[in-house]
Amino acid sequence: MRLFHIIRAQQFDRELLSRIFSEAREMEDVARKGGSDILFGKVMATVFYEPSTRTRLSFESAMMRLGGRVISTENAREFSSAAKGETLEDTIRIVDGYADVIVLRHYESGAAERAARVSSVPIINAGDGPGQHPTQALLDLYTIEKELGHIDGISIAMVGDLANGRTVRSLCYLLAKYKDVKMYFVAPDVVRMRDDIKEYLTRHRVPFYEEEDLKEVASKVDVIYQTRIQKERFGDRIEDYERARGIYIINHEILDVMKPDAIIMHPLPRVDEIAPEVDEDPRAAYFRQAQNGLYIRMALLKMVLTG
Ligand code: NCD
């Protein structure tokens, strides 16, 4: 079956996941050899209502490396007709006439779903507010498999803003499809993992533990997935934000207790939740993880546009 809209992590099954990963492995070769022209003549629109560096540029680079072209509005909230009061639905109805695929980032949860309802071309959700970020979760899983050799059986600590972090939410949905995965949630009180995800994990019999002691958790997991406290989701609750930041930091003390073959991931951007001293450690996988975003997005564009 052809992959069309990419809206939420729950839409993938293991067979599709392994197809995506094997396409991504091929894309590593394609990129190394200077690209290809399989998407020649195709146009991708990136419509971003929220800031982004990696997601937008890696999608654009992916499209170009496959011979396609890109049209883009990077600050759509201010610079697109949204500023004049146009609805998302109307904008999408117009852009789908100009492009063969639309990559959308929006500040409201559910926006990608709304766009998909009116779009005649594939919509790729590049983050919908505190909702989901499925392509990030795909590159996260791809990174875990590449770094550790397997996904079944891993134990992972998700750390930081678990209430507002859309990447951890999507990642939980995807990881629930694998066997014997154990999750540890380590979050400041004001941003603990939400009930919808916990209920989903319970229903899918994925064991998870809410913990406070990062050092203790760090000593036993295969993956530490650190996240940024999502300041933009706090509105005027500055005090809550200030209370949440700075509590859980990955530094040499955490490195000292980690298993020698464990890895540290982060969707980036980081603020201060991973000390720069960690970057030199071979277990710091976050820059390799960001690079994998290119290969995953090349694979997804190929699959969405050529079937
Ligand atoms: C993340 C996002 O936008 O959700 N960034 C990304 O896409 N790599 C994480 C974040 O902003 O903290």
Side-chain angles (χ1 to χ4, degrees):
M1 233 201 27
R2 168 120 176 236
L3 184 58
F4 200 72
H5 298 303
I6 300 176
I7 306 296
R8 38 191 227 141
Q10 301 94 304
Q11 77 185 79
F12 298 95
D13 59 27
R14 278 194 68 157
E15 199 201 313
L16 183 52
L17 290 168
S18 51
R19 257 178 60 211
I20 293 168
F21 297 161
S22 92
E23 285 283 2
R25 278 189 291 275
E26 274 178 39
M27 289 303 166
E28 298 207 16
D29 266 348
V30 171
R32 213 171 294 123
K33 289 179 186 137
S36 88
D37 58 5
I38 50 165
L39 297 186
F40 179 78
K42 302 279 189 194
V43 175
M44 175 184 81
T46 49
V47 180
F48 276 51
Y49 293 81
E50 274 193 342
S52 166
T53 303
R54 274 150 294 273
T55 306
R56 191 170 61 83
L57 293 183
S58 65
F59 263 113
E60 296 187 355
S61 173
M63 189 64 180
M64 290 178 180
R65 281 168 199 273
L66 294 176
R69 295 189 203 204
V70 176
I71 54 176
S72 178
T73 165
E74 83 168 284
N75 183 356
R77 212 167 174 169
E78 270 182 63
F79 295 151
S80 80
S81 292
K84 303 179 184 170
E86 186 170 58
T87 64
L88 174 66
E89 281 82 354
D90 279 1
T91 303
I92 295 297
R93 279 194 191 100
I94 300 306
V95 177
D96 81 353
Y98 303 159
D100 302 291
V101 57
I102 300 173
V103 181
L104 174 71
R105 170 168 290 189
H106 199 273
Y107 48 89
E108 275 170 17
S109 180
E113 194 121 36
R114 275 166 55 206
R117 247 179 259 139
V118 297
S119 178
S120 60
V121 303
I123 297 289
I124 301 181
N125 181 3
D128 60 334
Q132 286 215 32
H133 194 347
T135 70
Q136 176 71 43
L138 290 170
L139 77 89
D140 293 341
L141 266 199
Y142 182 69
T143 300
I144 293 172
E145 190 175 74
K146 202 165 142 184
E147 297 273 335
L148 302 180
H150 60 99
I151 302 167
D152 288 322
I154 64 156
S155 56
I156 179 169
M158 308 210 186
V159 186
D161 192 342
L162 306 186
N164 303 303
R166 55 196 173 197
T167 74
V168 283
R169 293 171 55 78
S170 289
L171 187 56
C172 284
Y173 285 124
L174 279 191
L175 280 169
K177 304 185 183 296
Y178 290 81
K179 281 204 256 344
D180 303 324
V181 171
K182 234 191 252 170
M183 298 184 189
Y184 297 87
F185 298 144
V186 185
D189 241 2
V190 288
V191 286
R192 286 169 65 165
M193 184 56 90
R194 290 185 197 275
D195 288 342
D196 61 339
I197 297 283
K198 291 195 269 187
E199 282 157 18
Y200 183 91
L201 295 174
T202 304
R203 257 197 330 276
H204 289 79
R205 298 198 172 75
V206 181
F208 64 88
Y209 312 91
E210 299 194 87
E211 303 280 358
E212 276 177 16
D213 187 345
L214 176 59
K215 215 165 161 179
E216 148 78 20
V217 171
S219 68
K220 56 187 177 197
V221 295
D222 306 303
V223 179
I224 296 180
Y225 191 98
Q226 173 69 304
T227 63
R228 176 179 68 89
I229 304 298
Q230 310 276 299
K231 187 177 185 188
E232 65 275 31
R233 310 280 176 235
F234 283 76
D236 52 13
R237 289 167 30 237
I238 307 287
E239 275 162 41
D240 279 352
Y241 170 71
E242 289 302 339
R243 215 174 299 140
R245 67 175 284 200
I247 298 186
Y248 294 115
I249 295 193
I250 312 287
N251 52 21
H252 67 270
E253 269 182 57
I254 300 293
L255 283 175
D256 285 348
V257 300
M258 279 175 64
K259 298 202 267 187
D261 51 358
I263 54 169
I264 301 165
M265 298 174 65
H266 190 309
L268 302 178
R270 72 170 146 185
V271 183
D272 51 9
E273 61 278 3
I274 299 181
E277 70 204 31
V278 175
D279 298 357
E280 301 309 315
D281 193 285
R283 293 168 293 183
Y286 30 92
F287 295 120
R288 301 191 290 275
Q289 178 185 356
Q291 179 63 37
N292 289 334
L294 176 69
Y295 311 129
I296 282 289
R297 287 165 177 142
M298 288 171 77
L300 292 174
L301 288 172
K302 179 188 166 196
M303 291 171 75
V304 158
L305 290 169
T306 68

